Amino acid sequence: MLLELAQFLEQHIRAFNVFNYLTLRAVLACLTSLVISFIVGPALIRKLAAYKIGQAVRDDGPQTHLAKAGTPTMGGALILVSIIVTTLLWADLSNRFVWVVLCVTVGFGAIGWVDDYRKVVHRNPKGLSAKAKFFWQSVLGLGAAIFIAYSTNLPAQTEFIVPFFKQVAYPLGAIGFIGMTYFVIVGTSNAVNLTDGLDGLAIMPTVMVGSALGVFAYVAGNAVFAKYLGFPYIPGAGELAVICGAIAGAGLAFLWFNAYPAEVFMGDVGALALGAALGTIAVIVRQEIVLFIMGGVFVVETLSVMLQVASFKLTGKRIFRMAPLHHHYELKGWKENQVVVRFWIITMMLVLIGLSTLKLR
């Protein structure tokens, strides 16, 4: 909206031309979402607390977590509001990629909201059943995959690109691309959700990975940079840098309230939405493997759950003291802050490795 206003005013005042620069709008999106979250955050937390929308805590987990019972949850709604409003203000609303990412984010957020609402308001510990949750995730994931697959025109846009190599890419075809896109969106959504178990653990890696994806989006949407760095040029993909900026700003503001000891938890409404948004952006800019690298913490957390369940069903024994992995380290004696900060450090290293693929090809 503000972009359109600036373009109109540019006809009379040349200084407004500066708002056409994507990098400036990405920075402004980050600051805008940050401010919105800071303004709305305290009121939302008070409202959630007043409605007694509190988090239930597993009694078989670390005993230190019992003190968290009753902490307001569903705070991810704050992140979604900030991202949506900011994107509508600063992004080019004629861009099809902007709308598909927004729709996926809102859709997965709605699934998470229903799950959270049933758990904390209706006191239903199961929330939305696993089958129902997976069904609706699949509907949204497949819908987004089909749209992205058939809204691209260049063969290179549906290739599976291997980082660190200049000319290693595998054509997937429409069906293969749809299947991979579905897997990335749904998988990333659930991976972020599984990681969201400690104060600040999931949101900071999301901020770092989202910010890095903004760089890749900018490169993919710029014909000159894409050619120079050996990336497929994807017209319109650069506009996703604005959404990445909004994710970073909203995430940092949420961390202000979610840092230990947390005043509010994200809940599924935030975790499912943010994971799906990261997965969708990564697919559009053709960096699925890079997302896998940068989101290594999300991947390992998910694998720890899968291995734990498989091991217990097959052998009756557990590999970890508790899954996801962050609980394993807590039960080994690490303090919560140690686990969180160390996972942040690992994510920062992995993001730097991911960014190095821009040039190391």
Side-chain angles (χ1 to χ4, degrees):
M1 296 178 184
L2 292 179
L3 173 61
E4 294 178 357
L5 177 61
Q7 290 173 339
F8 172 76
L9 294 174
E10 179 191 350
Q11 302 174 13
H12 308 284
I13 305 175
R14 189 168 180 78
F16 281 95
N17 178 59
V18 71
F19 291 102
N20 287 316
Y21 289 97
L22 184 57
T23 48
L24 175 63
R25 287 189 287 116
V27 171
L28 290 175
C30 181
L31 294 174
T32 302
S33 61
L34 191 75
V35 171
I36 292 174
S37 296
F38 276 143
I39 293 174
V40 178
L44 177 63
I45 293 172
R46 288 195 298 269
K47 184 67 69 174
L48 292 174
Y51 282 116
K52 298 182 180 180
I53 301 179
Q55 176 71 40
V57 177
R58 294 169 60 177
D59 53 12
D60 61 337
Q63 294 301 302
T64 54
H65 285 211
L66 296 178
K68 299 175 182 284
T71 302
T73 187
M74 298 178 71
L78 172 65
I79 301 174
L80 291 188
V81 169
S82 299
I83 292 173
I84 293 168
V85 172
T86 298
T87 301
L88 294 176
L89 287 175
W90 291 113
D92 179 3
L93 300 183
S94 65
N95 186 292
R96 66 189 187 279
F97 293 136
V98 168
W99 284 108
V100 71
V101 174
L102 272 184
C103 289
V104 167
T105 304
V106 172
F108 276 78
I111 296 172
W113 185 87
V114 172
D115 188 41
D116 287 336
Y117 191 82
R118 290 186 179 183
K119 287 178 181 177
V120 301
V121 177
H122 291 172
R123 308 299 178 186
N124 179 358
K126 294 183 178 180
L128 188 64
S129 70
K131 289 183 178 179
K133 185 186 295 185
F134 183 69
F135 171 77
W136 289 112
Q137 286 179 321
S138 297
V139 169
L140 291 171
L142 282 174
I146 293 170
F147 177 84
I148 296 171
Y150 290 103
S151 66
T152 54
N153 300 315
L154 302 177
Q157 293 176 355
T158 55
E159 289 181 342
F160 185 66
I161 298 174
V162 180
F164 300 110
F165 299 94
K166 274 189 176 181
Q167 298 178 341
V168 179
Y170 300 97
L172 296 173
I175 301 301
F177 179 80
I178 290 172
M180 183 200 64
T181 300
Y182 163 80
F183 174 79
V184 172
I185 294 175
V186 176
T188 308
S189 176
N190 287 303
V192 173
N193 193 35
L194 288 172
T195 306
D196 184 33
L198 300 179
D199 299 351
L201 178 59
I203 192 60
M204 193 59 188
T206 298
V207 168
M208 289 189 278
V209 174
S211 299
L213 284 176
V215 176
F216 285 98
Y218 181 78
V219 170
N222 187 295
V224 176
F225 288 159
K227 181 179 180 180
Y228 173 69
L229 294 172
F231 280 68
Y233 169 54
I234 305 173
E239 203 64 31
L240 297 180
V242 175
I243 297 183
C244 291
I247 291 173
L252 287 174
F254 181 77
L255 181 61
W256 182 274
F257 305 108
N258 187 235
Y260 182 86
E263 299 176 54
V264 65
F265 296 141
M266 190 190 309
D268 286 11
V269 62
L272 291 179
L274 289 173
L278 294 180
T280 306
I281 294 170
V283 166
I284 292 173
V285 300
R286 314 304 311 116
Q287 299 301 320
E288 300 86 3
I289 293 182
V290 172
L291 173 64
F292 185 87
I293 294 171
M294 297 192 299
V297 165
F298 302 140
V299 174
V300 171
E301 291 272 47
T302 304
L303 288 176
S304 71
V305 174
M306 296 171 65
L307 291 172
Q308 185 86 322
V309 172
S311 176
F312 188 75
K313 286 186 175 181
L314 293 174
T315 67
K317 297 181 180 180
R318 292 180 173 87
I319 299 174
F320 307 101
R321 295 188 180 185
M322 188 176 181
L325 189 62
H326 54 262
H327 289 319
H328 169 78
Y329 285 109
E330 279 191 290
L331 294 177
K332 284 189 66 175
W334 289 19
K335 301 295 183 183
E336 181 172 347
N337 276 346
Q338 287 181 307
V339 178
V340 171
V341 174
R342 286 170 180 174
F343 277 37
W344 287 359
I345 293 171
I346 293 170
T347 299
M348 186 176 295
M349 295 169 58
L350 294 174
V351 167
L352 291 175
I353 292 172
L355 287 173
S356 71
T357 65
L358 285 165
K359 188 60 179 174
L360 296 178
R361 290 177 176 268

